Amino acid sequence: MSDVVPGKTEQMRAIKDAIVNLKESPLYEYRTSHNYYPVIGQGSHDASIMFIGEAPGKNEAEQGRPFCGASGRLLDEMLDSINLKREDVYVTNIVKDRPPDNRDPRSEEIELYAPFLDQQIEIIQPEVIATLGRFSMVWILERFGSPKASQKISQLHGQLIPVKAGYGDVMVIPLFHPAAALYRQDQKETLMKDFQVLKEFI
Ligand code: URA
């Protein structure tokens, strides 16, 4: 029998199955007792632009989709400003289950879920990874050994940082988290301006 290489959809499904059954996660019991869903990711498996947020909030865990609350509406507004729709990009998070009370993800949670994100990056093979917020920025820059990993998001936002992924060269662009821009007009303007850099990857 010949070995059949699984397609992108099958590979993503395997990731989903593994996360659904991730009983060793400290967030598993919280998910199941609240009838929440894990949030694997959404969008095109052939996207050239991949967005990586932090972790699902309540809306996301209830619907099983990333960025579907107020931050998501702002993300859609930003996408619209460069004539893109959700289905043109891929959106995911580092941590795939909702942390209680919207607390920050813990390092052991990031370590547990990060290998799934690694696999998703290798499946999608984006040209550019846009990190949303400092958690995903630090994780991605450290993961790819960038010397910029120790710098602050206030210094790095909007910059294209070249790194090497397993499949080849990729650019990372750190962006502020949309939640931070929701109530601060100056941050929203910065995010909108930084977002325009993504046009060159369309
Ligand atoms: N914030 C995130 O970081 N991710 C989501 O999916 C929603 C809100």
Side-chain angles (χ1 to χ4, degrees):
M1 213 172 77
S2 66
D3 285 343
V4 179
V5 179
K8 292 186 175 196
T9 305
E10 285 79 9
Q11 292 180 62
M12 283 291 187
R13 197 169 295 137
I15 291 174
K16 179 176 180 185
D17 291 346
I19 295 172
V20 166
N21 296 305
L22 197 64
K23 296 199 174 74
E24 66 268 40
S25 168
L27 302 173
Y28 179 85
E29 154 68 22
Y30 184 64
R31 180 219 298 162
T32 50
S33 64
H34 286 75
N35 289 326
Y36 287 152
Y37 293 104
V39 178
I40 311 303
Q42 187 185 30
S44 166
H45 294 165
D46 297 312
S48 54
I49 306 175
M50 182 170 184
F51 290 90
I52 303 176
E54 229 168 83
K58 188 166 186 284
N59 288 305
E60 288 75 21
E62 283 173 351
Q63 296 189 35
R65 293 187 294 120
F67 286 93
C68 55
S71 303
R73 282 190 291 280
L74 184 53
L75 178 61
D76 287 336
E77 190 184 324
M78 304 286 162
L79 286 170
D80 195 47
S81 79
I82 56 171
N83 292 317
L84 286 181
K85 296 194 174 36
R86 284 286 179 114
E87 53 268 35
D88 301 321
V89 299
Y90 192 82
V91 183
T92 188
N93 289 298
I94 316 183
V95 168
K96 313 295 193 195
D97 280 303
R98 180 188 180 209
D101 306 319
N102 295 335
R103 66 158 169 74
D104 289 342
R106 297 191 173 135
S107 54
E108 66 269 24
E109 292 159 357
I110 292 178
E111 270 159 39
L112 185 68
Y113 288 93
F116 298 111
L117 177 59
D118 267 344
Q119 290 174 43
Q120 289 176 306
I121 293 170
E122 288 296 318
I123 293 168
I124 294 169
Q125 308 199 344
E127 283 174 47
V128 62
I129 295 174
T131 55
L132 299 169
R134 88 191 142 89
F135 281 94
S136 55
M137 178 193 88
V138 170
W139 189 81
I140 285 287
L141 292 179
E142 281 181 354
R143 172 73 187 83
F144 293 122
S146 170
K148 302 222 173 191
S150 59
Q151 293 185 34
K152 292 197 161 60
I153 191 166
S154 53
Q155 296 169 293
L156 295 181
H157 71 89
Q159 280 184 34
L160 285 171
I161 302 169
V163 298
K164 278 203 187 306
Y167 63 89
D169 294 336
V170 55
M171 288 290 185
V172 175
I173 177 167
L175 298 175
F176 285 124
H177 196 287
L182 275 179
Y183 305 103
R184 282 193 47 186
Q185 188 57 28
D186 58 330
Q187 289 242 358
K188 184 172 170 182
E189 279 162 18
T190 306
L191 183 54
M192 185 70 98
K193 185 163 163 275
D194 290 348
F195 224 85
Q196 306 308 305
V197 177
L198 292 172
K199 277 187 197 153
E200 67 181 88
F201 299 94
I202 297 175

